[in-house]
Amino acid sequence: MRVPDPAVPDDVTFSLLDRDVRGRLRTLSKENAEGVGRHLVMVGRLLDDDAEAAYEHAQAAVRRAGRVDVVREAAGLAAYRTGRYAEALRELRTVRRLNGSSEHLAIMADAERGLGRPERAITLSQEPEAATLDTETQIELAIVVSGARLDLGQPEAAVAVLSSPTVRAASGLVAARVAQARAAALEAAGRQDEAAAELAAFPQDVLDEAAGNTTEHEEVVVYDLTEDEDGEVATEVPVDEADEVDVVDEGDVVDVADVVDEVDVVDEVDVADVADEVDVADVVDEVDVAAVEIDADDVVDGSTEPAGDVVASDASATQEDAR
């Protein structure tokens, strides 16, 4: 039975997408690209105020264009924001395979925390790609690792992670997030006075905003204001008929063999991941169905509260690209 797509308001158009995102959708037919693009715009609009609705729009886009990296990226970010951490990991791993980007490493690490696997969060932070991240993402990753150290009962190590020159040089709202994370670590280490001093440097409204405790959000408009070579402001990049590729248009049936052809990398699936509800397409994206290796050490007893440490960075990335 086909799942109905969520409604998209008439004022939401393909031209509202970032130019780079529009370009990624050129592998689709014009009609399908426009439909997918409008759902991606809705993901960007709703992610802060109604993450569940944003997730539904992301899923609608995946059903239409599951082989496009920006579509799987939007699905991963929406899954993360709704607490579907195993699904977020699957989607963001797929994005890494499709485009080689590690920009969401901090979110992936925090999703591991949300699944009760702080050791894996720390391991992700030690990957070589972590050193290539931009400064703000490195700081967000440090915040996640600090939280993972607290999960493991290592408060002094949690403080140390947030004591590097890069982290201490944070400014603006990111600096407030660092202060909150340091305060939590210091308090866990029994250093209450230092914890209070960290927070005293910021007004309460800034701390509330850093923690996501605001009641109102600025409306995010994702107009593309990049000028063309002739100096005119681009408002829409049409999908040329010549660029059309018969990929996964709306209404098409995805053949499992076709999907297998898209997968070049075999990811290990552990017991926690296998237990998550997945569909055939997700499983084929993640593993070679002929060989699933289960490591007994991967089984984690118990559970933790959702991590949610990278809310600020993930929202900003989605709003910027309307993914």
Side-chain angles (χ1 to χ4, degrees), residues 37-215:
R38 295 177 72 208
H39 282 297
L40 293 182
V41 172
M42 291 303 297
V43 174
R45 280 192 176 185
L46 296 170
L47 198 59
D48 280 342
D49 298 323
D50 191 345
E52 191 64 37
Y55 174 82
E56 294 301 327
H57 281 282
Q59 290 303 299
V62 169
R63 288 192 291 270
R64 290 168 168 257
R67 300 180 190 179
V68 180
D69 59 347
V70 292
V71 172
R72 301 302 287 267
E73 180 181 27
L77 296 177
Y80 170 78
R81 290 297 299 271
T82 57
R84 295 174 170 92
Y85 297 121
E87 184 176 342
L89 277 170
R90 288 196 304 271
E91 294 292 354
L92 295 177
R93 285 173 186 153
T94 299
V95 173
R96 288 184 83 181
R97 290 199 301 269
L98 290 173
N99 63 21
S101 173
S102 298
E103 64 180 305
H104 297 304
L105 204 59
I107 295 173
M108 295 171 67
D110 201 44
E112 291 286 12
R113 282 193 64 210
L115 291 170
R117 303 189 299 230
E119 301 91 344
R120 292 194 180 189
I122 294 170
T123 299
L124 274 175
S125 74
Q126 296 168 344
E127 291 188 359
E129 292 81 1
T132 68
L133 300 173
D134 62 70
T135 300
E136 184 171 337
T137 305
Q138 287 185 19
I139 294 172
E140 293 290 352
L141 183 57
I143 292 173
V144 173
V145 173
S146 179
R149 291 295 184 185
L150 287 179
D151 294 342
L152 294 171
Q154 302 169 357
E156 291 295 346
V159 175
V161 169
L162 299 175
S163 300
S164 71
T166 298
V167 175
R168 297 301 279 163
S171 59
L173 204 60
V174 176
R177 286 175 49 72
V178 169
Q180 289 170 326
R182 280 181 58 85
L186 288 165
E187 187 170 348
R191 297 157 64 178
Q192 282 79 10
D193 291 344
E194 293 175 70
E198 287 286 341
L199 299 178
F202 299 89
Q204 188 59 47
D205 60 333
V206 172
L207 293 174
D208 288 342
E209 185 178 358
N213 297 329
T214 54
T215 56

Side-chain angles (χ1 to χ4, degrees), residues 206-226:
V206 172
L207 293 174
D208 288 342
E209 185 178 358
N213 297 329
T214 54
T215 56
E216 296 181 2
H217 301 276
E218 283 189 25
E219 182 177 357
V220 177
V221 181
V222 287
Y223 293 105
D224 182 4
L225 299 180
T226 304

Side-chain angles (χ1 to χ4, degrees), residues 12 32 74 81 94 99 128 145 226 279 299 301 314:
V12 174
N32 195 31
R81 290 297 299 271
T94 299
N99 63 21
V145 173
T226 304
D279 58 27
V299 180
D301 294 330
D314 119 62

